[in-house]
Amino acid sequence: MSGVMLRWSTRIGLAGHAVAHAHRAPTAAAQASATPSSENNDLWLPTPHYCEDVYRTVRRPTRTVQIGRVPVGSAHPIARQTMTTSDTRDVAKTVEQVKRCADAGADIVRITVQGKREAEACMRIREQLFADGYDTPLVADIHFQPAVAMRVADAFEKIRINPGNFVDGRKSFEERERMREAFRPLVDKCRSLGRALRIGTNHGSLSARILSYYGDTPRGMVESAFEFAEFCREADFHNFLFSMKASNPLVMVQAYRLLAEEMYAKGWDYPLHLGVTEAGEGEDGRMKSAIGVGALLADGLGDTIRVSLTEDPWYEIVPCAKLAAIGEDMRGRGLEAERASANLQEHRDTHLFRRRVGALPTQRPGDALDYRSVLHRDGSVFATLRAEHLAGDARACDATLRALGCKMAVGMPLKDIATADSVVIDGELPSGATALRALRRLQQAGVHVLAEAAAIERAGEAALPGAVAILDVDEVAKKASSSSSVALPAGAERLAVRVRGTESREALVAALQLGNPVLAFLDIDAFLSRVHVCRWVFEVLRSENIDVPIVHVLRAAQGTGREDLSLRAGVEVGGLMVDGLGDGVMLDCPGEDLAYLRESAFGLLQGVRMRNTKTEYVSCPSCGRTLFDLQDVTDQIRKRTGHLPGVAIAVMGCIVNGPGEMADADFGYVGGAPGKIDLYVGKEVVRRGVPMDSACDQLVDLIKEHGRWKEAEPEEAEEGVLAGAA
């Protein structure tokens, strides 16, 4: 495919891709629509049938699974879940947490049940909640203990089992018949008591037998779950649902889509519980969850969700409720009827991750600036500058440069690891000498300035030489139709095209082919369904072999809360980037702090595994198994290691999913026993039983031993670019 790089990872690819489709012959219409437009397109197959409609959000039809008083399935609103963090044996504290979660809006609450004493406490927890007027359904989280699952089924409305470790996690290879014998009594009991089951596969805890066949792939996750589903079906028990959780949103999305695809092939209609496990805390945790959950909600997948945060459980409910509301609002939205009726076949590969990488700008003889730095090869961040950002004296302009992530040295701004790659002027170019000097120095540092073509023309050639002019698709298409080239205003040397999403296919192709832009902004009109319109745009680009880099623009109204902005960015932009669709992002919200918007954009790129600019943390949300104060320890580790971009650190409260979910982490800090920590390098434990009071120090030592440590840079002095050099 000319100018488009294909990348894939064996870590997130599916084993047996071709085999999975061998039994399904495409229809004649599908074969016709799959015909490549050029010989370079033969790598791309039609998107498999994993949802009702790839260009419109249509809820996948499912049966209803009854969880106590809460019905879950496509005929009902998306249910919201969370999980207690208290010691289950502490009945009073656990009851208090469940009540607080229910008061915050939780429809279902999960509680860890790791042994007989916890199972005995569960009956008292259930009875006390009923006595206090709370009938919120409770879910027992079971690992390793079939006998404990049998006991707690008397108390709780739902049992979550992990196929990877339900029978005996110490055995290397469990035979299918032995698993059936261990699982069947629980199935029979759930049927007789009207209980529900969640068959919850975790990427980090697949059994040795599954790993030997499929590796730690989405295919292995699905096959592991299907074994236990077949046991349920053999017993004519159908009050169950699935989950496919991973800490990597790309793996999580692939696994759920494959699960749905295979259920369509089998004629199954079981609901889905969605979640990104070990998402972390704060904005990063919310955005990572929104990326994974949002991508699936846009496909009409998902009937109940949890946002797993390293925070108190009631704080999970607000983002969970907001994501559920986004999913409900998406329903029925998609391409407008005219485009939908054109039936443009889509060719995203939901099995192997393929990133569409646009052709980066090249340098031409005589260029005044180096235009190769307009974009970054691993994903670009653009920032919006308004009049207020460039108003005032030199010190105020210095503050703007710092907010863009610039380092200051000898009176000049320098690009750092998380400096905005380019800036877009909203409105007129500034006329003041101080503001123009700040923009010119940004250009000299390699941070390019883009502005409306008309604004550049009004400012005059001398105002900002070398600026990149922005034109709408229809303007470019009109100019291109009457000339062999697109005339730019004096002083502008390159063109960027803005796509609104309402343009005709003909205009879009003409603007991007004949205009020869350095990039295109997907600045989709607010009334359109962004995810579906963008899929259409990318399919047009693929079919025409257009390799223009694409930057997503997400605009939020002034006053939009930061949590709402993070969730929306994760859903509407991250939901596209998990499919490799996009080369950069610009988040814009008038009145919001410029540094925050830039940092959030970099956080989004890191969440979709494109560009690392800060330490990556994989931290579990805590539960009754956690062997230390997870929030406090995570905060301690973050303070010591938060200056190590490119390093991934896992902080796990126990070993249930820890080593497996640390697949992408460089180092791990895992609770091994009360007061003791096991330290990992990759998946291998290298120091066992480390006392907690020295574990953080020893983690830092490990990072140093493996050559990944650097000292934190000292804080910069206030003297800056313009104030010190004017």
Side-chain angles (χ1 to χ4, degrees):
M1 187 173 293
S2 175
V4 180
M5 185 188 302
L6 301 182
R7 297 180 181 173
W8 56 89
S9 166
T10 55
R11 179 171 288 170
I12 62 174
L14 290 178
H17 178 193
V19 175
H21 291 280
H23 65 283
R24 287 195 290 281
T27 63
Q31 287 177 324
S33 61
T35 301
S37 60
S38 77
E39 62 181 6
N40 291 324
N41 279 333
D42 58 4
L43 290 172
W44 295 87
L45 299 173
T47 303
H49 179 52
Y50 72 91
C51 65
E52 291 293 291
D53 191 334
V54 295
Y55 286 131
R56 182 169 295 274
T57 299
V58 180
R59 189 99 174 255
R60 171 181 164 265
T62 75
R63 67 177 61 232
T64 293
V65 168
Q66 197 67 36
I67 305 171
R69 63 172 175 78
V70 176
V72 172
S74 59
H76 312 283
I78 297 171
R80 302 157 295 185
Q81 296 196 33
T82 186
M83 185 175 184
T84 59
T85 60
S86 57
D87 185 336
T88 306
R89 293 169 297 179
D90 188 336
V91 173
K93 189 170 184 179
T94 304
V95 166
E96 178 189 359
Q97 285 203 357
V98 172
K99 290 163 68 172
R100 188 162 181 181
C101 292
D103 292 342
D107 299 305
I108 301 167
V109 177
R110 182 157 51 113
I111 299 173
T112 186
V113 188
Q114 62 265 50
K116 293 179 180 179
R117 288 187 295 171
E118 287 80 8
E120 291 167 359
C122 286
M123 185 61 76
R124 301 198 300 275
I125 292 168
R126 178 73 281 175
E127 290 172 350
Q128 185 61 55
L129 285 167
F130 279 150
D132 293 344
Y134 285 81
D135 60 354
T136 303
L138 301 180
V139 183
D141 191 62
I142 301 293
H143 297 268
F144 308 112
Q145 298 278 4
V148 172
M150 290 290 288
R151 285 193 179 203
V152 80
D154 290 319
F156 284 5
E157 289 80 5
K158 178 181 170 187
I159 311 296
R160 179 271 169 127
I161 63 100
N162 183 344
N165 58 32
F166 179 74
V167 177
D168 189 343
R170 294 170 298 177
K171 300 290 186 182
S172 297
F173 294 89
E174 299 297 345
E175 295 180 0
R176 183 182 176 91
E177 187 57 37
R178 185 166 180 262
M179 291 192 299
R180 178 189 285 107
E181 291 175 359
F183 186 50
R184 180 61 183 264
L186 178 61
V187 172
D188 292 339
K189 188 167 188 175
C190 287
R191 183 179 57 238
S192 65
L193 295 177
R195 304 307 194 200
L197 277 171
R198 167 153 74 97
I199 301 173
T201 303
N202 273 76
H203 181 231
S205 56
L206 297 176
S207 70
R209 184 172 57 85
I210 289 293
L211 288 171
S212 71
Y213 281 104
Y214 304 102
D216 59 343
T217 63
R219 170 66 64 187
M221 296 171 68
V222 172
E223 295 298 334
S224 179
F226 276 1
E227 283 189 336
F228 280 74
E230 291 287 4
F231 299 155
C232 291
R233 290 173 59 84
E234 289 170 4
D236 197 25
F237 176 74
H238 301 279
N239 199 44
F240 68 89
L241 47 75
F242 290 107
S243 67
M244 298 275 119
K245 291 195 174 183
S247 59
N248 182 335
L250 278 67
V251 172
M252 174 262 199
V253 169
Q254 282 191 345
Y256 276 104
R257 285 173 171 170
L258 178 63
L259 178 76
E261 177 188 337
E262 295 299 328
M263 280 205 284
Y264 273 115
K266 292 175 177 289
W268 291 5
D269 60 354
Y270 301 104
L272 299 176
H273 167 74
L274 305 184
V276 176
T277 192
E278 279 94 24
E281 61 182 345
E283 179 178 301
D284 289 341
R286 285 159 173 78
M287 187 172 284
K288 189 184 292 186
S289 290
I291 290 167
V293 173
L296 297 168
L297 291 175
D299 289 326
L301 303 179
D303 306 287
T304 173
I305 61 176
R306 181 195 174 193
V307 175
S308 298
L309 301 175
T310 310
E311 301 175 18
D312 290 327
W314 42 89
Y315 292 125
E316 295 182 350
I317 300 303
V318 171
C320 183
K322 289 179 178 179
L323 283 176
I326 289 172
E328 299 291 354
D329 291 343
M330 282 181 169
R331 195 182 304 189
R333 298 194 67 199
L335 288 185
E336 60 271 27
E338 181 179 350
R339 289 186 184 177
S341 64
N343 196 27
L344 181 66
Q345 176 70 52
E346 210 206 14
H347 292 76
R348 279 179 305 123
D349 190 338
T350 59
H351 290 183
L352 292 172
F353 177 74
R354 300 183 178 197
R355 181 185 162 202
R356 175 199 180 274
V357 182
L360 296 175
T362 56
Q363 199 68 357
R364 300 186 305 211
D367 281 341
L369 300 172
D370 186 350
Y371 289 95
R372 291 172 294 183
S373 62
V374 171
L375 294 156
H376 191 284
R377 64 182 182 181
D378 295 326
S380 305
V381 166
F382 283 59
T384 302
L385 292 183
R386 293 186 165 82
E388 62 266 25
H389 296 130
L390 297 168
D393 59 12
R395 194 168 296 277
C397 287
D398 275 352
T400 293
L401 298 180
R402 292 177 186 274
L404 291 173
C406 292
K407 305 290 287 185
M408 310 301 190
V410 198
M412 289 294 292
L414 300 175
K415 290 184 79 170
D416 197 21
I417 189 171
T419 305
D421 297 290
S422 296
V423 298
V424 176
I425 305 296
D426 181 28
E428 300 299 314
L429 287 171
S431 56
T434 300
L436 284 175
R437 184 165 64 247
L439 292 178
R440 291 183 188 125
R441 288 181 174 174
L442 273 177
Q443 289 178 313
Q444 293 166 10
V447 178
H448 282 269
V449 179
L450 296 83
E452 297 291 332
I456 294 174
E457 189 168 20
R458 285 190 291 269
E461 181 177 0
L464 199 64
V468 178
I470 303 172
L471 284 169
D472 282 352
V473 162
D474 289 335
E475 295 177 278
V476 179
K478 184 177 180 180
K479 290 175 180 288
S481 65
S482 59
S483 175
S484 59
S485 62
V486 177
L488 297 177
E493 297 189 16
R494 297 296 174 93
L495 170 69
V497 173
R498 181 190 293 110
V499 180
R500 299 287 191 184
T502 55
E503 303 88 352
S504 68
R505 173 173 177 151
E506 293 72 23
L508 179 65
V509 171
L512 298 183
Q513 282 185 337
L514 302 177
N516 193 29
V518 294
L519 63 96
F521 290 110
L522 287 190
D523 196 352
I524 305 301
D525 286 342
F527 65 88
L528 296 174
S529 178
R530 162 179 279 277
V531 170
H532 299 99
V533 170
C534 288
R535 283 180 180 173
W536 176 84
V537 170
F538 279 106
E539 184 57 35
V540 171
L541 300 183
R542 185 207 64 80
S543 65
E544 300 291 341
N545 284 327
I546 296 173
D547 58 6
V548 174
I550 299 296
V551 174
H552 294 283
V553 179
L554 185 74
R555 301 191 186 278
Q558 187 165 357
T560 298
R562 290 186 172 183
E563 183 173 73
D564 290 336
L565 180 61
S566 295
L567 295 175
R568 188 178 157 209
V571 172
E572 297 190 20
V573 178
L576 291 157
M577 286 184 157
V578 293
D579 288 316
L581 303 179
D583 300 280
V585 61
M586 182 172 80
L587 303 182
D588 182 32
C589 183
E592 183 55 87
D593 180 67
L594 186 61
Y596 168 77
L597 293 172
R598 171 183 58 83
E599 291 164 1
S600 295
F602 275 111
L604 177 59
L605 292 182
Q606 186 149 329
V608 295
R609 308 301 175 100
M610 283 181 66
R611 183 176 176 184
N612 289 334
T613 53
K614 57 185 176 182
T615 313
E616 176 79 11
Y617 295 97
V618 179
S619 59
C620 71
S622 186
C623 69
R625 292 184 178 85
T626 302
L627 296 169
F628 52 83
D629 187 326
L630 199 62
Q631 295 182 49
D632 181 61
V633 169
T634 301
D635 185 58
Q636 292 178 29
I637 292 174
R638 189 183 299 275
K639 288 178 179 176
R640 296 285 301 276
T641 63
H643 62 288
L644 302 173
V647 175
I649 300 173
V651 186
M652 300 292 180
C654 70
I655 62 170
V656 169
N657 294 318
E661 290 300 347
M662 293 192 305
D664 292 333
D666 302 302
F667 303 94
Y669 181 109
V670 181
K676 301 293 184 180
I677 302 300
D678 295 340
L679 297 178
Y680 285 71
V681 175
K683 288 187 177 183
E684 300 298 323
V685 60
V686 295
R687 298 185 187 180
R688 195 181 298 276
V690 177
M692 274 201 65
D693 58 4
S694 66
C696 192
D697 290 334
Q698 292 201 39
L699 174 65
V700 171
D701 290 342
L702 269 181
I703 298 172
K704 291 178 178 178
E705 287 174 15
H706 286 78
R708 305 296 299 278
W709 182 263
K710 69 173 186 177
E711 296 299 328
E713 295 184 8
E715 294 292 327
E716 291 181 342
E718 284 300 314
E719 189 72 8
V721 176
L722 303 172

